Amino acid sequence: MNSPDPFIVRVRALLGEGGCLESAETMARYLRDWRGLFEGKARLVARPRSTAEIAALVRLCAEERVGIVPQGGNTGLVGGATPSETGTDIVLSLERMNRIRSVDPDDFSITVEAGCILADVQNAAAKVDRLFPLSLGAEGTCQIGGNLSTNAGGINVVRYGNARDLVLGLEIVLPDGSMWDDLRRVRKDNTGYPLRQLFIGAEGTLGIITAAALKLFPVSRQRATALVTVGNAQAACDLFSHFETRLGDCIVSFEYMSKPSVQLAYDLVPGTIWPFGDITADSVLVELGWTLEQPSLKDLLEATLADSMEKGFILDAVIADNEAKRLALWRIREAVVEAQRIGGASIKHDISVPIASIASFMTIADAAVRQILPETRILPFGHLGDGNLHYNLMRPPGIDDRAFLQNAEALTRAVHDIVREFGGSFSAEHGLGQLRRDEANLYKSPIERELMERIKSSFDPHRLMNPGKML
Amino acid sequence: MNSPDPFIVRVRALLGEGGCLESAETMARYLRDWRGLFEGKARLVARPRSTAEIAALVRLCAEERVGIVPQGGNTGLVGGATPSETGTDIVLSLERMNRIRSVDPDDFSITVEAGCILADVQNAAAKVDRLFPLSLGAEGTCQIGGNLSTNAGGINVVRYGNARDLVLGLEIVLPDGSMWDDLRRVRKDNTGYPLRQLFIGAEGTLGIITAAALKLFPVSRQRATALVTVGNAQAACDLFSHFETRLGDCIVSFEYMSKPSVQLAYDLVPGTIWPFGDITADSVLVELGWTLEQPSLKDLLEATLADSMEKGFILDAVIADNEAKRLALWRIREAVVEAQRIGGASIKHDISVPIASIASFMTIADAAVRQILPETRILPFGHLGDGNLHYNLMRPPGIDDRAFLQNAEALTRAVHDIVREFGGSFSAEHGLGQLRRDEANLYKSPIERELMERIKSSFDPHRLMNPGKML
C-alpha cells in the first residue's frame, strides 16, 4: 500500500468531503475539454465551496509550488482549462462556488460567485425584471468566472459589449493566496491603475476570480427579428452601417451567415428551416430590442428593411411574426455551429478586423485558402456588428479528416497572416489557452509580449497560475 | 554668461524652432493649473510635433534620468499635469500633436493624435454624420490625450460610458522611449493581457499616449430634454430607476442638482433662468436621444413624465420646446458649476457610490459635515445616472475663505470615510494627480497599492513618468 501523498492529505483536510477528487474515474471529466482536443493529468481536482477555502488552498499550493488550473464550466475552445500532461498541477473547479450573493434592481447590479452557471445569472436578473445581457451557445453550462477569465463575447456584444464591459467589481484570490476584495458596485472610479481589467481575459494566469459584481440592464419589452439575404459580404457590411446609422440604439444582434455555412446547416441539422426557398445568398440575422412597449419595433424594422431593399442593400427579408418564428430563425444560426461540429474535421478561426473591412478580408483570405487547398469548404459566419468572424474551414468531400488536417498549420498561418495585415485579432473571443498560445509570439509585437511577461512575473513569480496557458 | 545646459541644447536640436520653451515668460502657462491651486517649475517645456520626436525625447530623458510631466489642455482638477517645485523635470506638451489621422464612418471609428482638442474630435466626427460622445465642460480646451490619461467622464457616460469605453487602440511611447503601436480598430481581441487598459487613466505615469483610435456612434436625429423637480434626492434616485426601466436605451444624460446648488447659480450667474418660479426643490435634468427621426421622442418623454408624476416621482416638469430652450436648461447645469467657482472658497469632492445609494450617502454625509462646521453650504450636484456626485462644500456667509479652508482636511476626511463605507470611490472622474495622491494610502487596500507599485516598477523603473503623481 502506498503511503499517502502529504499534499493530498492536507488538501483533503482543508476541503472536506467531496472537496477533493483523486480517482481516475471521478477526475476524468475535468481532465479533458468537451471537444476532446485536449487531455491532461492532475494530482487532484479541488472543489472548494468558499473564497476562504480557495485562499487557503492557493496558499498551500504556493508553499508547495504546485500549479493550479482553474476550471469553470469547461466549455472553452482553446484548452485553457485543461491541465498539462505532467500531472504535477491540480485542477481547481469553481463549480461549488455558485451562490447568487445579491441582486439589486434599482442599482442595476448583481453579485455572483464565479461558479454560477451563466443561465442562472440571467435568470436571477430576469426574476427582478432586469437583463444580464451576456449570451452565448454554452450559456446553460459555462460559468461566469470562466466567462470573465476569457472575456467572453457572444451574440449581444454589438449592444452591450464584451464580458469586460459588464463588470463592476471582482473578488480575486492572488497567487500568494491573499484575497483582494474589489467587489465594488461603482460605475466611475479613477483612483489608480485599473487592476481589475488585468484579470478579465487573463485565463486565470494572474489569479483566480472568485466572485463578481456585474451590471444589469433594463429588460427589452419588445424584440423584432429578421432574416435577410444579401448579395455578398460587402452588402452585409453596408447593411450594418445603414442599420447602425438609422437604428443604432436598438440593434441587439447583427449576425452574418455565409451561403455555404447555411447550406451545410440545412443539409446536416434536422429541423433547419430556410424561409426563402433555395439557399442562394449570404444572409444576416438581425435582432432589435428596446425597453419601450410602444411604438411597435416590428413596424420600425419593417420600414427600415423596405428602405434597405429600395437602396439595394438586401435581396429579400422575413420578419418573425411570433416567438416560435423568431426561435426558428435563431435555430438556423445555431444549426450553422452544430453542422460544423458534426460535418467532419474543421479548422476554426475566431478572428476580428475593423467592421468595414470584413468583406475585403474574406475576399483575400478565400483566395489564400484556395491556393493551399482549392476544394476546402469555406464556411464563415459570425458577429458582423463586432467585426468578429468565425472564419471556419472544413474538410471537402473526397478527402479524409486526417489528410485535411495536415493542412491545418498552413491554412491557419495564411488566414492569420491576413488578419495581421488588416490590423485584426487572431483570437477575438476564444482566447489563447494552449491552442493559440504560441501564435502570440508570431502576431503580438515583442514590446507587448515583454510587457505581458513583466506583469506575469511581478504578479505570479513562481508561475503557478494556470501554467502553460496564454504565456 | 552661463554656459548652456547640454541637455537643453540636445532637446533644442531635437525639436527645432518653437519646440523647446525655456524662458520664464513662455513657460509660465504650463507651470500652473488653471485654477491656480498648483504651481511648479520645469527645466523646459517641450512641444514635439510627431511620435518620432516624442520617442527621441523620451529616450533622451531616460538616458539623462530627467522626469517628464505630460500635459494636454491643462484643464485637470487635481494637479496631474503640473510639475513639482524641484525644477528638475520637463513638461511635455502634446499641443502640437493635433492631427486627425483618419475618420472612417462605415467603421464607426476615428484615429486622432493626443493633442487634438476634444471639440475638434467631436466636430471631425460630426462632419461624417457620426458622434464622438465624450462631452464635458472643458471640451473646447481639453485634449483627447488628457481625457484618456484621466479616463474622463462627463455628461454622456450613462449612455456611452467613460473615456475608457470609447477606446479601440492606442499609440504609446513607453518610459524607455520605445513606441508601442497598439493603434488598432478591432472591437474584440482576446490574445493577451489588456495592456492598453493600464495606460487609460494612468495620468501619464506609465507612458505617454501619443495617438488613439476611438469609437464613433450614430448621430441622434432627435433629442428631448426636460428639467424636473423632485421631492428629495431619494425621489431623484427612484426616478432614475423608473426612467432607466422604461427608457433605458435612449437616456443620454441624467443630471442631479440639489436645491442649494441651483439657488447659488441663480444668485450669482447672470442669465440663469429657473422655469418654475421659486427654487423650492431638488431637480433633475434629463436628456434623451436616439437615431430615429420618427416617432417623436418628445412625446415619449412627455408620456413618461406624466406617468412619473402620477406615480409621485416628480413634482413638476418642463420640456424644452426648441433648441434655445434646451440650451437654457443646460445653462442652469453649467451655472451650477460656474457659481461654485466664483462664490467663494469651496471644497470639491468628486465621489461615486452605487447608484441606488446616492440619497442615503447624502443624508449621512450632510450630517457629518454639519457636525464639523454647521453653517457649511452643501451644494451637491452631478451625474446621478453614473452614481457620481460632485459633493461640494462652500464657505458660508460670515466666515472668510481662509477660516473655512482650515476645515478642509477634516471635512474631506469625513466625506471620504463615508464614501468608503458605501464601497464608493473618492475620485470618480477627476483622478489622483497631486491633490488626491496621498488619500489613496488611506482608502485603497494595501494589496491594491502593492499591485500598482509592482506595475509602476516594472514599466518605469527609474520613475521618470509624471513623477509624484498618482503614486
Side-chain angles (χ1 to χ4, degrees):
Chain A
M1 197 177 143
N2 293 330
S3 71
D5 177 339
F7 171 75
I8 294 185
V9 171
R10 288 176 73 184
V11 173
R12 263 190 228 145
L14 189 64
L15 302 181
E17 184 71 35
C20 180
L21 310 179
E22 300 148 53
S23 74
E25 202 189 337
T26 54
M27 291 204 292
R29 71 181 182 92
Y30 302 89
L31 303 182
R32 61 169 172 262
D33 76 317
W34 67 278
R35 291 198 293 170
L37 291 186
F38 303 94
E39 185 149 9
K41 297 194 179 74
R43 215 152 148 184
L44 57 84
V45 173
R47 301 165 69 238
R49 278 161 306 187
S50 67
T51 306
E53 282 187 2
I54 294 176
L57 177 66
V58 174
R59 260 195 310 277
L60 176 57
C61 289
E63 265 174 52
E64 304 275 337
R65 301 281 191 268
V66 173
I68 299 173
V69 180
Q71 188 175 99
N74 198 13
T75 62
L77 293 160
V78 292
T82 311
S84 73
E85 297 278 347
T86 64
T88 53
D89 304 328
I90 69 165
V91 170
L92 193 168
S93 167
L94 278 299
E95 66 195 338
R96 297 207 294 178
M97 287 283 293
N98 60 358
R99 285 185 313 132
I100 305 281
R101 288 195 188 161
S102 65
V103 195
D104 188 338
D106 284 328
D107 193 44
F108 291 84
S109 69
I110 187 169
T111 302
V112 302
E113 292 183 346
C116 285
I117 306 282
L118 174 53
D120 292 341
V121 180
Q122 294 167 346
N123 290 335
K127 264 188 205 156
V128 296
D129 194 31
R130 293 289 178 255
L131 171 74
F132 182 64
L134 188 67
S135 179
L136 51 145
E139 64 194 26
T141 312
C142 65
Q143 295 170 14
I144 191 70
N147 297 145
L148 298 178
S149 292
T150 57
N151 185 27
I155 55 171
N156 294 338
V157 174
V158 67
R159 171 70 178 86
Y160 298 100
N162 293 292
R164 176 182 310 287
D165 303 302
L166 306 175
V167 177
L168 292 170
L170 294 177
E171 180 185 87
I172 292 167
V173 171
L174 295 166
D176 65 357
S178 59
M179 196 267 276
W180 178 37
D181 179 0
D182 174 48
L183 213 45
R184 305 168 67 201
R185 292 185 290 126
V186 295
R187 279 146 209 271
K188 278 178 166 176
D189 179 26
N190 277 325
T191 58
Y193 303 148
L195 297 170
R196 180 190 306 147
Q197 300 289 343
L198 281 179
F199 296 91
I200 303 170
E203 301 182 5
T205 61
L206 297 177
I208 295 161
I209 296 173
T210 54
L214 304 165
K215 292 181 194 171
L216 298 181
F217 293 81
V219 167
S220 290
R221 305 284 164 203
Q222 287 188 72
R223 274 195 284 210
T225 311
L227 183 70
V228 308
T229 49
V230 291
N232 52 38
Q234 185 57 54
C237 289
D238 295 343
L239 183 69
F240 176 73
S241 181
H242 182 64
F243 258 67
E244 183 73 10
T245 304
R246 286 195 56 154
L247 302 172
D249 311 302
C250 52
I251 300 174
V252 175
S253 302
F254 198 97
E255 302 283 307
Y256 166 79
M257 298 180 285
S258 64
K259 174 179 164 258
S261 76
V262 172
Q263 185 66 57
L264 191 78
Y266 189 80
D267 293 344
L268 297 186
V269 183
T272 308
I273 297 157
W274 182 248
F276 302 108
D278 286 348
I279 299 165
T280 57
D282 293 348
S283 56
V284 166
L285 180 59
V286 59
E287 186 158 289
L288 310 182
W290 67 13
T291 55
L292 304 174
E293 280 166 12
Q294 290 293 331
S296 160
L297 198 51
K298 217 163 67 185
D299 291 352
L300 183 66
L301 179 57
E302 214 165 277
T304 310
L305 287 174
D307 175 66
S308 302
M309 201 169 293
E310 225 167 77
K311 290 200 162 72
F313 292 127
I314 65 176
L315 303 174
D316 206 348
V318 289
I319 298 183
D321 281 333
N322 54 43
E323 183 63 9
K325 287 192 183 160
R326 174 181 168 265
L327 291 177
L329 295 184
W330 274 105
R331 219 168 288 134
I332 301 171
R333 174 65 176 77
E334 287 150 19
V336 163
V337 178
E338 176 68 4
Q340 298 189 14
R341 202 177 61 78
I342 62 183
S346 81
I347 304 166
K348 295 187 192 303
H349 302 108
D350 169 40
I351 66 96
S352 70
V353 294
I355 303 170
S357 307
I358 282 196
S360 322
F361 164 78
M362 279 200 267
T363 304
I364 297 173
D366 287 2
V369 167
R370 299 253 177 263
Q371 213 156 28
I372 294 169
L373 192 70
E375 312 80 16
T376 308
R377 301 181 78 163
I378 305 178
L379 305 166
F381 67 97
H383 318 294
L384 191 146
D386 316 319
N388 177 197
L389 207 61
H390 299 304
Y391 187 80
N392 294 349
L393 308 176
M394 186 175 272
R395 170 179 64 76
I399 300 185
D400 72 13
D401 282 359
R402 236 185 96 194
F404 175 65
L405 290 175
Q406 277 168 356
N407 299 285
E409 211 180 308
L411 287 167
T412 294
R413 182 69 182 266
V415 170
H416 288 174
D417 281 357
I418 295 163
V419 167
R420 173 170 52 190
E421 278 165 43
F422 278 88
S425 168
F426 65 95
S427 194
E429 56 177 17
H430 295 169
L432 295 181
Q434 304 177 41
L435 182 65
R436 300 272 174 237
R437 182 193 63 191
D438 295 337
E439 278 179 89
N441 293 319
L442 281 176
Y443 297 113
K444 306 282 273 188
S445 72
I447 288 182
E448 198 171 347
R449 298 292 288 166
E450 162 65 22
L451 293 177
M452 279 179 65
E453 278 296 338
R454 285 191 214 164
I455 288 170
K456 174 72 173 175
S457 302
S458 71
F459 279 53
D460 180 23
H462 304 300
R463 302 182 89 85
L464 298 176
M465 305 310 292
N466 212 0
K469 313 298 162 49
M470 185 166 263
L471 291 127
Chain B
M1 199 178 143
N2 293 331
S3 69
D5 177 337
F7 172 74
I8 294 184
V9 171
R10 289 177 72 183
V11 173
R12 262 190 230 146
L14 188 64
L15 302 181
E17 185 71 34
C20 179
L21 310 179
E22 300 150 51
S23 74
E25 201 188 339
T26 54
M27 291 205 292
R29 73 184 180 91
Y30 302 90
L31 302 182
R32 61 170 172 262
D33 76 316
W34 68 277
R35 290 198 294 170
L37 291 185
F38 302 94
E39 186 150 7
K41 296 194 179 74
R43 215 152 147 185
L44 58 86
V45 174
R47 300 165 70 237
R49 278 161 306 187
S50 69
T51 306
E53 282 187 1
I54 294 176
L57 177 67
V58 173
R59 259 196 311 276
L60 177 57
C61 290
E63 265 174 54
E64 304 276 336
R65 301 281 191 270
V66 173
I68 299 174
V69 181
Q71 188 175 98
N74 198 12
T75 61
L77 293 160
V78 292
T82 311
S84 73
E85 297 278 349
T86 63
T88 53
D89 303 328
I90 69 164
V91 170
L92 192 169
S93 168
L94 278 297
E95 66 195 338
R96 298 207 295 178
M97 288 281 293
N98 59 357
R99 284 185 314 134
I100 306 282
R101 288 196 188 162
S102 66
V103 196
D104 188 337
D106 284 328
D107 194 46
F108 291 84
S109 69
I110 187 169
T111 302
V112 301
E113 291 183 345
C116 286
I117 305 283
L118 173 53
D120 292 340
V121 180
Q122 295 167 346
N123 291 335
K127 264 188 205 158
V128 295
D129 194 32
R130 293 291 178 256
L131 171 74
F132 182 65
L134 188 67
S135 179
L136 51 144
E139 63 195 25
T141 312
C142 64
Q143 294 169 15
I144 191 70
N147 297 144
L148 299 178
S149 293
T150 57
N151 185 26
I155 55 171
N156 294 339
V157 174
V158 67
R159 171 70 178 86
Y160 298 99
N162 293 293
R164 175 182 309 287
D165 302 302
L166 305 175
V167 177
L168 292 170
L170 294 178
E171 180 186 87
I172 292 168
V173 171
L174 295 165
D176 65 358
S178 60
M179 195 266 277
W180 178 37
D181 180 359
D182 175 47
L183 213 46
R184 303 169 68 202
R185 293 185 291 128
V186 294
R187 280 144 208 274
K188 279 177 164 175
D189 178 27
N190 278 326
T191 58
Y193 302 149
L195 297 169
R196 180 189 306 147
Q197 300 288 342
L198 282 178
F199 296 91
I200 302 169
E203 301 182 4
T205 61
L206 296 177
I208 295 162
I209 296 174
T210 54
L214 304 166
K215 291 182 195 168
L216 298 181
F217 293 81
V219 166
S220 290
R221 306 282 164 203
Q222 287 188 70
R223 276 196 283 211
T225 311
L227 184 71
V228 308
T229 50
V230 291
N232 52 38
Q234 185 57 53
C237 290
D238 295 344
L239 183 68
F240 175 73
S241 181
H242 182 63
F243 258 65
E244 183 74 10
T245 304
R246 287 196 53 156
L247 302 173
D249 310 301
C250 51
I251 300 174
V252 175
S253 302
F254 199 97
E255 301 284 308
Y256 166 79
M257 298 180 283
S258 65
K259 174 176 164 257
S261 76
V262 171
Q263 185 66 58
L264 191 76
Y266 190 79
D267 293 344
L268 297 187
V269 182
T272 308
I273 297 158
W274 182 248
F276 300 108
D278 287 345
I279 298 166
T280 56
D282 292 347
S283 55
V284 166
L285 180 59
V286 59
E287 186 158 289
L288 310 183
W290 66 14
T291 55
L292 305 173
E293 280 165 12
Q294 290 293 332
S296 159
L297 199 51
K298 216 162 70 182
D299 290 354
L300 183 67
L301 179 56
E302 212 166 279
T304 311
L305 287 174
D307 175 67
S308 302
M309 201 170 291
E310 225 167 74
K311 290 200 162 71
F313 292 127
I314 65 176
L315 304 173
D316 206 349
V318 289
I319 297 183
D321 281 331
N322 53 43
E323 184 63 10
K325 287 190 183 160
R326 176 181 167 264
L327 292 177
L329 295 183
W330 274 106
R331 218 167 289 134
I332 301 171
R333 174 64 176 76
E334 287 150 18
V336 162
V337 179
E338 175 68 4
Q340 297 189 15
R341 202 178 61 78
I342 60 181
S346 82
I347 304 167
K348 295 189 191 303
H349 302 106
D350 168 40
I351 68 96
S352 69
V353 294
I355 303 171
S357 306
I358 282 195
S360 322
F361 164 79
M362 280 201 267
T363 305
I364 297 173
D366 288 1
V369 167
R370 300 251 177 265
Q371 212 155 27
I372 294 168
L373 190 71
E375 313 82 15
T376 307
R377 301 180 79 163
I378 305 178
L379 305 167
F381 67 97
H383 318 295
L384 190 146
D386 316 319
N388 177 198
L389 208 61
H390 300 304
Y391 187 79
N392 294 349
L393 309 175
M394 186 175 270
R395 169 180 64 76
I399 300 186
D400 71 15
D401 282 359
R402 236 185 95 193
F404 174 65
L405 290 175
Q406 277 168 356
N407 299 283
E409 209 180 309
L411 287 167
T412 295
R413 182 68 183 265
V415 170
H416 288 174
D417 280 358
I418 295 162
V419 167
R420 173 169 53 190
E421 277 166 44
F422 278 87
S425 168
F426 65 95
S427 194
E429 55 178 17
H430 295 170
L432 296 180
Q434 303 178 42
L435 182 66
R436 300 273 174 237
R437 184 192 63 191
D438 295 337
E439 278 179 89
N441 294 319
L442 280 175
Y443 297 113
K444 305 284 273 189
S445 72
I447 287 182
E448 199 172 346
R449 298 292 287 168
E450 163 66 21
L451 292 178
M452 279 180 64
E453 277 295 340
R454 283 190 216 167
I455 288 170
K456 174 72 173 175
S457 302
S458 71
F459 279 53
D460 179 23
H462 304 301
R463 302 182 90 85
L464 299 177
M465 304 312 292
N466 212 359
K469 312 298 161 49
M470 187 167 261
L471 292 125

